[in-house]
Amino acid sequence: QVSELVQFLLVKDQKKIPIKRADMLKNVIREYRDAYSKILNRTGKTLQEVFGMQLVEIDSKRHMYILINNLPRAGGKYLCRDKEKEKMGLLLVILSFIFMKGSSVKDSALWEFLHLLRVYPGRQHEVFGDVRKLVTEEFARQKYLEITPIPLTDPPELKFQWGPRAEKEISKKDVLNAVAKIQGKDPTFWASQYSEAEATT
Amino acid sequence: ENREAMLNSRSNRLTEALEEANALFDGVCRAREAALDAQFLVLASNIGKEKANELHSDMSAFDSTAFAEDLLTFMGINRTEETDDSEDGPGGFLPTDAWKRMGEEALKYFKRAPDVHYMLGSFKSEPPVPKQRIERQKKASRGKAEQAMPAQLKKMEESHQEATEKEVERILRILQTHFENDPNTPISYFDFVIDPNSFARTVENMFHVSFLIRDGLARIKLDEVELPVIEPTKPNGGAEEENRAGARNQVIIRLDQREWQ
C-alpha cells in the first residue's frame, strides 16, 4: 500500500494541485481505510528518505496535501523546463510585491504593478499567454496565491495574498533577500518587512 | 462612492461621515431607516479596516516603481535613448529570455518538488494502430469493424500470436480494399510496407506481409522496372493458384535504417 501511495502522490503532484485525502482513500487505500494514518506516516517517511520530499498538510479541515522539496539547495543550475521557469519567475515577482506591500494587495494594485513589467491582463503575453488566467486560476488552484473577494465592493474587487503552498515552499526572508539583491540594497533597508521576515523564520 | 477619498489617510472624511450618521440616527423612527443606518455602519467599518491596513504597509515605504525598474534591469532590458514607438513600450527592449532569467533566480528560493514522470510512458492496453497512409487508415478501421473472418484464419491459444494474426488479417484487408477500388493495379511493395515515421513499424509490416505471402493470400511480383509490387490473390483461385504457391520462392529483403530514411 505504501509504495502504491508513494507513486500515486508523485504522479498527482505533477500539476502542483493539492491532493485530497478523499482521492487517496478512493484510489489507493480503499479497503485498508483503518490503517490510513499508519500508511500515510510510512509514505511520508519513504518520500523523505528516498526522494527527499516532504508531504505537508496545508488544510487540516479539508485534508489537502502537497509535496515540497526538502533537499538542501544545490548551487548549480536547475533542471527545469523553460515554461516552468518563466512561471516561477512571474510568481516570485508577484509574491515579492505582495509581501513588500504588507502581505495583502488589491487586484488593481497588482495589475498596475505588472503593467510596469509589460504584463497586461487584457492582452496575450508572448511568454505567458493569458496572464489573467495564469494568475487568478492556475496559481490560485495550486495554492501559491490566495485570492478572496473584498466584501461590499462594486465592481467586485479581489484581494491577493500568499497561499499555503507559497508559505511552505518559500520563506519571507528569501523573498526579502531577493528583492534586496535586485534593488542593490541591504534587506534591513525596509525595516518592518525585515522584522516580519525574521519573525516568521 | 467617495471610497478613495475616505481611504486617504490624511482625510478625516470617514470620521465626519460617522458623526453625521450618528446625528441623523436621532431622527430615525422607521425600521427601514434603521436598516439603512446599519448598512452604512458595515460599509464604514470595512473602510476603517482598509485604512488600518494601509497604515501598516506605509511604515516602510516600498517604492514599487523603482522595484519594477530594477526588475527590468535584472531581466536584461536594453534601454534605448531615443523614444521609439515600437510595441515594447517606452524605455527599452525586453529580450525573449527575460522571464527565463527571472525564473532561474526564482528557482533558487522555491522548495519545489520536481515533476516525476515515468520514463517508459504510461500503459496502453491496445497496440497502437500503425499509420501507413491516411486514406488507408480510414479503410483499416472500417475493416476491423467487420466481423466476417476469412476461412484461412486459425484460432490460436496465446494472445501474443492472436495479435499477430489480427495484424496480418488487417493488412490483408487493407490490401483487398485497395484492390476493390483499383482492381488491376498492384501496389508498390515498398509503398505498402514502409511507414515514413517509424522504422520499427516498417519492419513489422514486412513481417506481417510475409505471412500473407507464405499463406498464399497475396503475392509479390516484379513489375516493368524491376520493383516489387504486391497484390492479393483471388479467393476462388482454384488449382492454378495453388500450384503457384507450391513454387516457393525465398526472398530476402534487406533494409537497414539508413536505406529506410
Side-chain angles (χ1 to χ4, degrees):
Chain A
Q1 254 18 62
V2 174
S3 42
E4 273 183 43
L5 187 58
V6 168
Q7 282 193 32
F8 177 77
L9 290 175
L10 285 173
V11 173
K12 262 287 198 161
D13 188 61
Q14 283 170 11
K15 291 247 160 42
K16 298 296 168 199
I17 297 178
I19 308 154
K20 296 189 258 212
R21 180 177 79 167
D23 286 338
M24 288 195 247
L25 287 171
K26 183 172 73 162
N27 290 312
V28 182
I29 303 192
R30 287 179 292 215
E31 54 274 14
Y32 301 96
R33 285 182 99 91
D34 306 321
Y36 170 73
S37 39
K38 250 198 252 170
I39 298 179
L40 198 65
N41 271 336
R42 294 235 198 105
T43 305
K45 271 189 81 190
T46 308
L47 282 167
Q48 174 64 61
E49 287 165 17
V50 176
F51 295 95
M53 296 195 211
Q54 198 184 355
L55 183 64
V56 180
E57 185 172 36
I58 53 167
D59 188 329
S60 44
K61 241 190 292 173
R62 277 171 269 179
H63 302 292
M64 313 228 303
Y65 297 83
I66 58 170
L67 286 182
I68 63 170
N69 195 337
N70 225 8
L71 294 173
R73 277 193 271 267
K77 283 211 133 174
Y78 278 79
L79 285 172
C80 186
R81 259 173 290 182
D82 286 352
K83 260 264 148 281
E84 206 183 295
K85 259 192 226 178
E86 291 159 342
K87 286 189 195 172
M88 297 310 278
L90 180 63
L91 184 62
L92 180 68
V93 165
I94 296 178
L95 291 175
S96 315
F97 180 69
I98 296 177
F99 172 62
M100 298 303 283
K101 277 290 191 188
S103 305
S104 159
V105 295
K106 268 198 294 196
D107 56 348
S108 47
L110 178 64
W111 291 115
E112 209 179 288
F113 172 67
L114 289 177
H115 269 218
L116 299 171
L117 300 174
R118 326 279 175 84
V119 175
Y120 308 96
R123 266 211 278 180
Q124 273 289 95
H125 192 267
E126 48 180 25
V127 171
F128 299 113
D130 186 344
V131 190
R132 185 189 284 280
K133 192 161 177 222
L134 173 63
V135 173
T136 59
E137 289 180 27
E138 190 170 322
F139 286 161
R141 221 178 310 137
Q142 296 174 333
K143 298 292 178 190
Y144 275 118
L145 293 176
E146 190 78 37
I147 305 181
T148 41
I150 303 178
L152 299 175
T153 45
D154 183 38
E157 289 176 38
L158 300 170
K159 182 168 67 164
F160 282 71
Q161 289 166 303
W162 281 34
R165 187 188 283 274
E167 308 260 352
K168 296 280 178 213
E169 284 193 12
I170 192 172
S171 72
K172 307 215 152 99
K173 205 163 176 196
D174 282 330
V175 166
L176 182 62
N177 286 337
V179 173
K181 174 175 171 179
I182 288 170
Q183 295 218 257
K185 293 194 165 50
D186 194 272
T188 50
F189 180 73
W190 297 276
S192 70
Q193 285 89 337
Y194 183 72
S195 49
E196 159 105 23
E198 290 293 303
T200 53
T201 324
Chain B
E1 328 95 38
N2 305 324
R3 198 189 179 87
E4 285 310 309
M6 293 212 195
L7 275 178
N8 192 327
S9 53
R10 272 175 285 262
S11 89
N12 280 325
R13 299 274 308 263
L14 187 58
T15 325
E16 290 167 9
L18 275 167
E19 286 173 357
E20 197 182 321
N22 232 359
L24 278 172
F25 195 72
D26 288 335
V28 159
C29 51
R30 293 220 166 70
R32 181 59 196 144
E33 289 157 7
L36 278 173
D37 183 80
Q39 220 177 352
F40 167 73
L41 262 182
V42 173
L43 266 171
S45 64
N46 272 332
I47 297 185
K49 186 171 100 153
E50 265 192 69
K51 270 187 98 160
N53 272 341
E54 305 231 337
L55 259 180
H56 164 70
S57 57
D58 273 345
M59 265 206 291
S60 291
F62 176 65
D63 186 347
S64 34
T65 322
F67 183 43
E69 287 289 306
D70 290 333
L71 278 170
L72 288 171
T73 313
F74 185 82
M75 292 199 268
I77 192 173
N78 285 319
R79 291 209 160 81
T80 51
E81 291 303 329
E82 330 90 57
T83 47
D84 53 355
D85 32 28
S86 69
E87 297 187 342
D88 295 307
F93 166 71
L94 205 57
T96 36
D97 68 343
W99 285 101
K100 240 202 299 178
R101 229 181 280 206
M102 194 66 230
E104 276 178 21
E105 182 69 21
L107 284 175
K108 296 185 197 163
Y109 305 103
F110 280 98
K111 288 161 64 166
R112 190 173 152 106
D115 292 350
V116 169
H117 294 278
Y118 288 101
M119 278 172 65
L120 297 177
S122 61
F123 222 87
K124 264 223 164 103
S125 51
E126 284 228 86
V129 180
K131 289 205 185 103
Q132 292 187 339
R133 291 247 178 95
I134 303 175
E135 323 95 46
R136 295 207 189 141
Q137 180 88 335
K138 291 204 199 111
K139 290 182 189 160
S141 48
R142 203 171 15 102
K144 232 182 184 155
E146 293 169 19
Q147 286 307 310
M149 308 266 259
Q152 294 96 326
L153 185 70
K154 303 178 194 76
K155 280 221 169 82
M156 298 287 184
E157 303 280 29
E158 296 160 51
S159 57
H160 178 68
Q161 272 171 295
E162 228 170 66
T164 316
E165 287 290 323
K166 253 207 222 154
E167 280 298 301
V168 172
E169 186 207 342
R170 203 179 52 77
I171 289 192
L172 176 64
R173 250 189 249 293
I174 298 172
L175 189 57
Q176 284 171 339
T177 335
H178 177 93
F179 248 69
E180 276 167 35
N181 307 336
D182 228 348
N184 289 318
T185 332
I187 309 170
S188 151
Y189 174 72
F190 286 118
D191 274 344
F192 189 60
V193 295
I194 291 183
D195 176 347
N197 294 323
S198 161
F199 179 61
R201 277 263 142 236
T202 305
V203 174
E204 251 188 78
N205 290 340
M206 288 173 67
F207 175 64
H208 292 138
V209 169
S210 69
F211 271 86
L212 289 175
I213 310 250
R214 181 199 71 171
D215 293 337
L217 294 166
R219 80 175 150 233
I220 294 187
K221 27 186 222 204
L222 294 176
D223 70 359
E224 316 86 62
V225 289
E226 300 272 343
L227 284 175
V229 291
I230 181 170
E231 61 184 7
T233 56
K234 305 187 181 51
N236 42 342
E240 200 192 323
E241 307 300 326
E242 283 185 71
N243 281 340
R244 281 272 190 88
R248 266 136 155 292
N249 293 316
Q250 282 225 2
V251 183
I252 300 176
I253 302 181
R254 213 194 56 161
L255 185 69
D256 66 13
Q257 204 156 6
R258 233 180 317 133
E259 249 185 84
W260 167 70
Q261 289 233 341

